[in-house]
Amino acid sequence: MDRRSFIKNAGLMGAGAAAASTLAAPAIAQSNPKITWRCTSSFPKSLDTIYGGAEVFAKHISEATDGNFQIQVFAAGEIVPGLQAADAAAAGTVELCHTVAYYYWGKDPTWALASDVPFALNARGRNAWQYHGGGIDLVNEFFHKQGLHVLPAGNTGVQMGGWFRKEINTVEDLKGLKMRVGGFAGKILEKLGVVPQQLAGGDVYPALEKGTIDAAEWVGPYDDEKLGFQKVAPYYYYPGWWEGGPTVHLMFNKAKFDELPENYKALVRTAAQATDANMLQKYDYLNPGAIKRLVASGAKLRPFSQEILGACFGATNQVYDEIMANNAEFKKIWESIKAFRNEHFLYAQIAEYNFDTFMMVQQRNNKL
């Protein structure tokens, strides 16, 4: 090829490359359209770890799309009250919310199964069931009928059993006890004589201080520390058997979710799973320091007795049987969780349990 032909052909190739480049830019832009959504949270900003999950998710989405997909997060009460977050998302008032499904169990107990119910799975088991046991698809069969598409986006790990003004040693001690406790757990404890109370977070401390209530459950050490419960109800019981591994969800208006480009849907699923892992990891990191500070400031740690746990377990199974007799959707999901629960705790008592137990003994003997 002579010099003149080479330059001519090179020019044509350069023009072709430029044209390809020009065509590629709009194609990329079209695959990442500019979208702005609003997310209402069920949590106040003061609960930085659980509220922060929505902000972590929004940050992932923005960074992965060069700012083209923006999600504005609003704390509870800024758009709607915290316990109306799911309703706002379903109605399209906002495109999504960050909440806990068991808050809405009064609509239908099936809502609670998506997050947590008494004596179900721990956080690790729940995530295994959700991501690999078909749990996400199973609960969405139910939520799609509510106008929502839901994805796990956080977990606190097993919660504490709450703060009590006096020691609780037997089932008899539960009778007449006025306890701030939410939803499903309240229904179980009511069978054992507890009088459940529904109180907003800001009202719990003064109610304990005045003796209006005798006990209150909240979350766990890191979040509980901020409220100073140990000053007015020093006995801190564990475990929170009603929340072995509660999932916090992103709930999307289904029509809005369905409108997203496929690459955005894939990104949302990935960012939600990253957010899910991040919250649990953060609580695992922060709770150890918080529990030490609480004990140093007066909290008295107490385990629920085996008598109390056994009675609660029995009452829980009665409630499940009652609900399943009249609620096919609840039955379908609970039987899936229960089947995996049996497998999960069978395996967990082999390697994990023995390793953890040995290391805990070393820790108690000051050998770590």
Side-chain angles (χ1 to χ4, degrees):
M1 182 182 293
D2 62 29
R3 179 174 174 275
R4 184 171 297 177
S5 298
F6 176 80
I7 293 172
K8 180 180 178 182
N9 289 335
L12 287 172
M13 286 189 288
S21 176
T22 303
L23 289 170
I28 293 170
Q30 288 169 10
S31 68
N32 290 331
K34 288 189 177 296
I35 295 176
T36 300
W37 276 5
R38 298 191 303 168
C39 173
T40 186
S41 173
S42 281
F43 316 108
K45 291 180 181 179
S46 58
L47 296 180
D48 58 295
T49 300
I50 196 165
Y51 169 82
E55 292 187 326
V56 168
F57 172 75
K59 184 172 183 287
H60 286 322
I61 294 295
S62 177
E63 290 178 347
T65 61
D66 292 327
N68 285 322
F69 192 174
Q70 293 287 334
I71 297 174
Q72 299 171 294
V73 181
F74 296 86
E78 291 183 342
I79 297 179
V80 295
L83 298 185
Q84 294 177 23
D87 299 317
T93 305
V94 293
E95 288 78 14
L96 72 154
C97 69
H98 191 231
T99 188
V100 183
Y102 59 55
Y103 288 161
Y104 313 94
W105 83 282
K107 297 174 181 287
D108 183 324
T110 310
W111 281 74
L113 292 175
S115 178
D116 210 359
V117 291
F119 298 106
L121 292 158
N122 58 23
R124 187 165 172 176
R126 176 159 283 275
N127 279 333
W129 173 75
Q130 288 180 143
Y131 291 107
H132 296 282
I136 293 174
D137 292 337
L138 199 57
V139 299
N140 268 315
E141 287 179 18
F142 171 78
F143 279 107
H144 286 175
K145 297 173 187 176
Q146 321 305 317
L148 296 165
H149 182 77
V150 307
L151 292 172
N155 200 302
T156 66
V158 61
Q159 295 193 2
M160 294 291 282
W163 299 88
F164 292 73
R165 288 163 54 87
K166 64 178 184 178
E167 288 192 77
I168 304 297
N169 297 310
T170 67
V171 173
E172 190 67 24
D173 294 334
L174 294 173
K175 293 181 179 177
L177 189 84
K178 297 187 294 293
M179 182 176 182
R180 186 271 181 195
V181 59
F184 218 124
K187 187 175 180 66
I188 307 299
L189 287 166
E190 199 168 23
K191 283 185 172 290
L192 301 175
V194 172
V195 183
Q197 307 288 309
Q198 294 286 347
L199 291 175
D203 298 329
V204 177
Y205 184 96
L208 280 170
E209 186 176 35
K210 295 173 184 176
T212 307
I213 59 174
D214 306 302
E217 62 87 27
W218 192 238
V219 180
Y222 180 70
D223 288 336
D224 290 10
E225 181 185 22
K226 298 174 183 178
L227 300 180
F229 291 138
Q230 75 278 7
K231 300 173 186 175
V232 290
Y235 296 100
Y236 198 19
Y237 275 85
Y238 60 89
W241 45 266
W242 48 89
E243 294 182 84
T247 289
V248 183
H249 274 93
L250 287 165
M251 296 188 175
F252 302 84
N253 177 279
K254 186 177 183 301
K256 288 294 184 181
F257 183 84
D258 289 345
E259 288 174 3
L260 289 175
E262 290 304 315
N263 64 322
Y264 275 12
K265 288 179 184 176
L267 174 59
V268 163
R269 287 190 290 267
T270 301
Q273 189 168 0
T275 302
D276 189 20
N278 182 73
M279 185 184 293
L280 181 60
Q281 292 156 4
K282 192 170 182 180
Y283 272 116
D284 283 346
Y285 185 77
L286 294 171
N287 278 330
I291 196 70
K292 289 194 289 186
R293 292 190 297 271
L294 283 168
V295 170
S297 63
K300 303 178 189 298
L301 289 176
R302 296 288 188 275
F304 284 126
S305 68
Q306 291 301 300
E307 177 192 342
I308 288 175
L309 288 174
C312 292
F313 184 71
T316 297
N317 288 330
Q318 289 176 19
V319 171
Y320 288 151
D321 289 342
E322 291 167 4
I323 295 173
M324 286 193 294
N326 301 297
N327 191 323
E329 290 181 303
F330 182 97
K331 185 174 187 290
K332 181 178 181 180
I333 298 174
W334 174 238
E335 287 185 341
S336 175
I337 294 172
K338 191 164 66 168
F340 180 66
R341 181 184 65 174
N342 189 42
E343 296 298 310
H344 175 68
F345 287 110
L346 171 68
Y347 178 67
Q349 65 189 286
I350 302 173
E352 295 284 347
Y353 175 79
N354 282 280
F355 176 75
D356 288 351
T357 302
F358 177 81
M359 294 303 291
M360 290 170 189
V361 169
Q362 307 316 303
Q363 190 273 335
R364 290 180 181 180
N365 291 335
N366 296 314
K367 292 184 177 180
L368 294 186

